[in-house]
Amino acid sequence: MKNLFIILIGLFVSILKSQEPSNPEVLINTSIGLTKGTLTEVELDSIFIYKKVDSIMTLGIQKEAFPGAQLLVAKNNKIVFHQAYGFHTYDSIQTVQLDDIYDLASVTKIAAALPALMKLHGEGKIDLDQPFSSYWKPWKKHKNKNELTLREVLAHQAGLNPYIVFLSHVRKKNGKLKKKWIRRKPNKKYDQQAFDNLYVKNRFKKKIYREINKSKVSDEKNYKYSGLTFLLYPRLIENLTGISYTAYLRSNFYDPLDNTTMGFNPYHKGFSNRIVPTEIDTIFRHGLTKNWVHDENAALMGGVSGNAGLFATAEDLAKLMQMYMNYGVYNGKRYLKEETVKEFARVQYLQNKNRRGLGFDKPLIKNSELPLVDAYPAPQASEESFGHSGFTGTFVWADPKNQLVFIFLSNRVYPTRNHRNLYDLNIRTALHTIFYDTKTPLQE
């Protein structure tokens, strides 16, 4: 009788396997948007996950990796986890709420500049293998840049300078701001607002462009992260489309996705949502940076840039990342060509030990073989996965193979950017790992 039972079980299992699709990847319905679901619905252990996430978030707050944070995870088109932890600041006055708006820092690169570039590429308006100088004419005059391709630039393979501190151009040696560039009240020549009662001269953008145009380029073409061209992309996009950068993003992406909070300079929008503060700035703004972009370069461009400056809630970010994970489709609407998203999300220069896609970050090389303390992102994340992190303590990641969107938002730079325990404790990777394997407890 026992043998017969075993035979029947085996037969049942074989029948189920025979009914499985030949493609083992999870099939999703891209005709619907994100819906609310539960961990149990997607076969994740809710008791284990809540316990482990609570433990890691509590540790992060105790170790002052961040005063507060929130985590959103979507799997198989369902938001199955969205929780808030801690407070806006260490004085424990304002609790973190699920609809709080965050300064996304460098996540701006893949949530603002990149979708516009991908759309233009899909329409044949930019060619990845043409020199960037074909679209940004000033580079034709610079021998060290005139042959650099857009592919090299977006993959951080061009040897460009990593960063230029433009703040040094507006400050005197005694720390005071130069009236030539910064005024306390706006007028026709100074209408780029950087902060409360701080207005930048309109022509300062041209100075930024000139500095980038004449910046040095390394002779060695190795992986070297650089955000400089992301300061140029808004103007480039405007030149190619004939409309403003922000209007292009709103009409082609944010409004159709119903991303109501995603945008620049949220202070002017009158949202009822609270905006999470970042750093207590003792150099430029001399106070708590709240409602305005943290990144100084983006601030000097009036808060609108391609490198930083974008704000959003976790849910609005999740919609955008779900669209990417669906290779350009969300809620039945196609935003980007499938082949375009796949090309941008692909590792470009693996032979140069460069893990990057085009604009997108990718897992470390051989990441699946690394221990948790060294991995980025979770070791279980597929090679097809992609995302980006932000200086303020943000992190977004999409994994098409495992149908997982991971959104982590924090203000780790409060009260100062010297707080680095978010990195030292590898908190984001530890949290990410939980949603791949809920059967093996993480090391404490």
Side-chain angles (χ1 to χ4, degrees):
M1 191 71 178
K2 183 178 179 181
N3 290 338
L4 177 61
F5 179 75
I6 293 173
I7 291 171
L8 289 172
I9 290 294
L11 180 62
F12 179 68
V13 170
S14 65
I15 291 171
L16 285 178
K17 286 185 175 181
S18 68
Q19 293 175 341
E20 291 178 352
S22 57
N23 184 351
E25 294 184 1
V26 177
L27 299 177
I28 61 160
N29 185 355
T30 56
S31 66
I32 61 172
L34 283 172
T35 60
K36 298 294 176 67
T38 65
L39 292 164
T40 306
E41 285 179 63
V42 295
E43 300 181 347
L44 292 176
D45 186 337
S46 62
I47 295 176
F48 173 84
I49 285 176
Y50 274 96
K51 179 180 177 181
K52 294 305 296 183
V53 172
D54 286 351
S55 175
I56 292 171
M57 288 292 197
T58 300
L59 176 67
I61 294 169
Q62 290 175 345
K63 296 292 184 180
E64 296 193 350
F66 43 77
Q70 64 175 273
L71 179 61
L72 183 152
V73 176
K75 188 170 176 62
N76 300 349
N77 264 352
K78 299 177 185 292
I79 296 175
V80 295
F81 189 96
H82 191 191
Q83 295 293 316
Y85 302 84
F87 297 83
H88 283 198
T89 57
Y90 290 110
D91 57 16
S92 302
I93 294 176
Q94 284 195 329
T95 58
V96 176
Q97 299 294 316
L98 296 182
D99 64 349
D100 284 348
I101 297 173
Y102 284 77
D103 180 336
L104 304 182
S106 279
V107 171
T108 302
K109 292 177 172 69
I110 70 164
L114 202 63
L117 292 175
M118 283 194 283
K119 182 172 176 58
L120 292 170
H121 174 263
E123 294 170 348
K125 294 177 181 176
I126 56 174
D127 186 330
L128 295 170
D129 297 307
Q130 286 294 313
F132 183 63
S133 60
S134 301
Y135 312 105
W136 189 256
K137 303 301 182 183
W139 279 22
K140 287 185 178 293
K141 302 176 184 178
H142 299 271
K143 292 182 179 180
N144 63 351
K145 296 186 182 71
N146 62 2
E147 294 299 323
L148 296 177
T149 66
L150 185 56
R151 186 184 298 276
E152 290 174 312
V153 170
L154 283 171
H156 305 284
Q157 189 67 28
L160 294 172
N161 207 338
Y163 196 80
I164 295 175
V165 182
F166 292 107
L167 187 61
S168 62
H169 293 290
V170 304
R171 294 177 73 242
K172 299 178 182 179
K173 290 183 179 179
N174 62 6
K176 292 185 178 180
L177 299 176
K178 297 178 181 179
K179 290 184 179 180
K180 176 183 178 180
W181 297 117
I182 305 291
R183 296 290 173 90
R184 294 292 177 181
K185 294 181 179 180
N187 59 44
K188 290 182 179 180
K189 293 183 179 180
Y190 294 79
D191 68 359
Q192 300 295 302
Q193 190 169 8
F195 194 62
D196 294 321
N197 303 318
L198 287 181
Y199 297 86
V200 185
K201 193 171 186 177
N202 302 352
R203 291 182 60 238
F204 192 75
K205 282 185 182 180
K206 291 184 178 180
K207 184 173 183 62
I208 289 176
Y209 299 152
R210 285 196 302 270
E211 289 288 321
I212 295 173
N213 293 340
K214 69 180 185 180
S215 63
K216 293 181 179 180
V217 177
S218 174
D219 292 332
E220 295 183 5
K221 294 297 180 283
N222 297 319
Y223 168 50
K224 188 178 184 181
Y225 183 86
S226 172
L228 286 187
T229 54
F230 281 87
L231 293 163
L232 307 179
Y233 293 145
R235 176 61 60 85
L236 182 148
I237 290 162
E238 290 174 351
N239 291 343
L240 291 173
T241 63
I243 62 174
S244 77
Y245 173 59
T246 54
Y248 186 80
L249 291 171
R250 282 248 69 89
S251 61
N252 286 286
F253 298 99
Y254 303 159
D255 285 347
L257 285 167
D258 195 27
N259 283 359
T260 57
T261 65
M262 187 170 281
F264 299 91
N265 291 322
Y267 182 69
H268 296 301
K269 308 292 174 57
F271 293 123
S272 60
N273 315 58
R274 295 176 306 178
I275 302 170
V276 178
T278 50
E279 187 173 20
I280 299 177
D281 184 355
T282 59
I283 296 175
F284 177 37
R285 287 156 286 213
H286 299 285
L288 178 63
T289 306
K290 183 178 180 180
N291 305 324
W292 304 97
V293 60
H294 174 263
D295 181 87
E296 291 88 353
N297 284 351
L300 291 171
M301 297 187 78
V304 179
S305 181
N307 74 309
L310 196 69
F311 287 73
T313 61
E315 286 202 16
D316 278 355
L317 263 177
K319 295 173 192 174
L320 182 70
M321 294 305 293
Q322 183 72 32
M323 182 271 283
Y324 285 156
M325 194 169 71
N326 294 347
Y327 294 122
V329 178
Y330 183 83
N331 203 17
K333 176 180 173 61
R334 178 160 292 283
Y335 293 81
L336 299 165
K337 288 186 176 180
E338 179 178 349
E339 58 268 31
T340 297
V341 182
K342 287 184 175 180
E343 180 61 25
F344 275 66
R346 177 179 69 84
V347 174
Q348 300 291 315
Y349 294 95
L350 187 60
Q351 72 276 16
N352 292 91
K353 297 182 180 179
N354 180 347
R355 72 176 190 268
R356 293 275 177 166
L358 298 173
F360 288 117
D361 199 1
K362 297 283 291 180
L364 293 176
I365 296 171
K366 295 185 178 180
N367 191 56
S368 62
E369 301 173 16
L370 297 176
L372 179 61
V373 292
D374 298 323
Y376 173 87
Q380 303 94 324
S382 73
E383 292 183 357
E384 291 88 348
S385 70
F386 53 90
H388 214 284
S389 61
F391 188 78
T392 51
T394 55
F395 177 80
V396 299
W397 209 263
D399 188 340
K401 184 176 181 179
N402 292 289
Q403 283 300 297
L404 190 73
V405 168
F406 182 91
I407 310 284
F408 175 89
L409 299 177
S410 77
N411 56 333
R412 72 99 192 161
V413 293
Y414 179 86
T416 166
R417 66 188 69 190
N418 295 328
H419 279 218
R420 296 189 55 84
N421 273 346
L422 178 66
Y423 308 129
D424 296 340
L425 297 172
N426 210 6
I427 286 173
R428 295 176 294 191
T429 300
L431 290 168
H432 198 195
T433 301
I434 293 171
F435 293 87
Y436 282 99
D437 184 3
T438 64
K439 296 180 173 58
T440 304
L442 297 172
Q443 293 181 346
E444 297 291 339

